Amino acid sequence: MPTHRLVSPDRPANATLLLLASLYCAQGLPSGLIAHSLPVLLRQHGVDLALIGLLKLLALPWLLKVLWAPWVDRLASPRLGHHRGWILPLQGGIALVVAALALLSPAALFGSQLPLLLGLLLLVNLAAATQDIATDGLTVRLLSERWRGLGNSLQVGGYKVGMLVSGSGLLLVYDSVGWSLSMGLLVLSLLLTLLPIWRFAERRQLPFRPALAEPPGAGLLLRHYRGLLAQPGMWLWLAVLLSFKLGDALGSPMIKPMLVDQGWSNAELGRLTLLSSLVGIAGALLGGLLYARLGVLRALLLFGALQALGIAAMAALVQAGDNHALVYGLALFEQAADGMSTVALFAAMMRQCRAEHEGADFTLQASAQLLLGGLVGAASGVLAAWLGYAGLFLVAGALGAGVLVLLPLYFRRTLAVTA
């Protein structure tokens, strides 16, 4: 049995890093299938674009998981352990659903049985979203404050690797191996990522402490989140949390449309996207390592400034789409900065999580940040049409830089309260 103790002096053991990387990679596998592979396959089988658009609605459990997250924190399996008791059956269930898809005919699934396909994919997202609550809670408990940046590097990087495998990877082999074998390989990948959590002795190493959790029964949802919001400085932290990525959310959706308007082909955009994803993973890893050295405040300030600079620099690409070296240079810098800033923000979010409330506390913060970012991103096209691409990117960069003034204010007040 591998040990997950901390080493020298509090660095997580290699078994812990492998465990976390495997869990977040497992979450990316079904997401890549639904977000990247299936829209292509559905369209190739002549499915109407309006129906393909319904795939976006299947992500609804990821937004609604705050409603059941407190129960994931509160209920523990006496035999499997707390978080392990959720992760093992949920990921196993996802593998079973994908195995069932492998046994069905794609012609039928993409035709008369399309409602069945959508229903099964909704179950996959429901299970994956619930598993994410338990995985985040386990991550917070396993890692000390200093190394949570590295843990979130594994979260961002592992998730993107999983999406690449089931998205780009599946499409690359699909014509050669077909539907059933492609789904079979995905099932095998899901089962392989289960091995580290299967071998993790959670009951012995991280025993559940029900005395620290909210009491069960009616009102659990309200009590749980009311307790989170009652923490000192929490409302100011929410202002930091909701504003930190707003500049990126406003500007980044318009990068590819700008390049399309400048004549970039699908193949060129595909190569740029693939390389950008890999650089984003590297940026996330670098951000986690630097977080351990810089600490939370300096990491947020530095990475937030790089994030704002990266999105503002996109203004230099207006009318410069034929300069591929400049496009690649700025796009890759923006993705690296995005990876670093995301890791720092997620690590800072973990600082707000209370003992035995980790999964739901992290979920509420992540869902609020994701929802507001999505709403702001939805307005990016309107603002680009009004200001032009250059104006949009400069405004987004200024917004990203301006909100950083909240960081020292929050940390000063937090230190004053705890002193």
Side-chain angles (χ1 to χ4, degrees), residues 164-186:
L164 284 174
V165 169
S166 59
S168 302
L170 188 145
L171 291 175
L172 285 172
V173 304
Y174 184 83
D175 289 339
S176 301
V177 304
W179 169 261
S180 295
L181 187 52
S182 296
M183 293 298 101
L185 291 172
L186 184 54

Side-chain angles (χ1 to χ4, degrees), residues 71-90 134 141 197-198 200-204 206-210 356:
W71 278 270
V72 177
D73 276 341
R74 184 62 185 84
L75 302 177
S77 167
R79 186 169 66 90
L80 296 177
H82 185 189
H83 306 93
R84 187 171 175 267
W86 287 95
I87 294 169
L88 283 172
L90 288 170
R141 287 204 64 189
I197 188 67
W198 178 264
F200 175 43
E202 182 182 12
R203 290 179 58 201
R204 175 171 57 83
L206 289 177
F208 180 48
R209 299 165 294 179
E356 296 301 346

Side-chain angles (χ1 to χ4, degrees), residues 8-176:
S8 191
D10 60 350
R11 181 188 178 278
N14 290 335
T16 299
L17 300 180
L18 176 62
L19 169 65
L20 297 180
S22 67
L23 290 176
Y24 286 115
C25 181
Q27 290 180 14
L29 289 170
S31 297
L33 172 68
I34 296 171
H36 297 304
S37 295
L38 283 179
V40 174
L41 299 177
L42 287 167
R43 191 56 181 165
Q44 288 176 348
H45 283 77
V47 176
D48 185 78
L49 290 175
L51 291 175
I52 295 176
L54 291 177
L55 291 176
K56 296 292 185 182
L57 294 179
L58 299 180
L60 198 59
W62 289 89
L63 291 176
L64 298 180
K65 63 180 180 175
V66 293
L67 300 178
W68 60 85
W71 278 270
V72 177
D73 276 341
R74 184 62 185 84
L75 302 177
S77 167
R79 186 169 66 90
L80 296 177
H82 185 189
H83 306 93
R84 187 171 175 267
W86 287 95
I87 294 169
L88 283 172
L90 288 170
Q91 190 170 327
I94 293 172
L96 285 176
V97 172
V98 177
L101 292 176
L103 299 176
L104 298 173
S105 163
L109 278 175
F110 300 153
S112 60
Q113 295 179 354
L114 185 60
L116 173 63
L117 173 64
L118 296 178
L120 290 175
L121 294 177
L122 181 61
L123 284 178
V124 166
N125 264 336
L126 179 61
T130 306
Q131 178 184 340
D132 182 60
I133 300 168
T135 299
D136 289 336
L138 178 62
T139 303
V140 176
R141 287 204 64 189
L142 276 173
L143 300 176
S144 66
E145 159 64 19
R146 181 184 179 192
W147 294 102
R148 284 174 180 166
L150 180 58
N152 282 286
S153 297
L154 299 175
Q155 176 179 6
V156 174
Y159 187 83
K160 287 188 175 183
V161 168
M163 289 195 73
L164 284 174
V165 169
S166 59
S168 302
L170 188 145
L171 291 175
L172 285 172
V173 304
Y174 184 83
D175 289 339
S176 301

Side-chain angles (χ1 to χ4, degrees), residues 288-367:
L289 295 173
L290 290 176
Y291 182 93
R293 291 182 174 273
L294 296 173
V296 58
L297 175 57
R298 288 189 293 176
L300 286 170
L301 286 172
L302 175 59
F303 301 159
L306 292 176
Q307 173 184 259
L309 177 61
I311 204 66
M314 292 295 113
L317 299 183
V318 178
Q319 306 303 326
D322 57 340
N323 188 340
H324 283 216
L326 180 62
V327 172
Y328 269 86
L330 293 181
L332 297 184
F333 174 81
E334 189 272 335
Q335 277 296 295
D338 177 62
M340 289 190 288
S341 62
T342 300
V343 160
L345 180 63
F346 284 1
M349 287 159 54
M350 288 182 172
R351 299 176 75 250
Q352 314 301 320
C353 298
R354 299 162 293 162
E356 296 301 346
H357 299 71
E358 296 93 351
D361 284 0
F362 189 88
T363 293
L364 177 64
Q365 296 176 76
S367 297

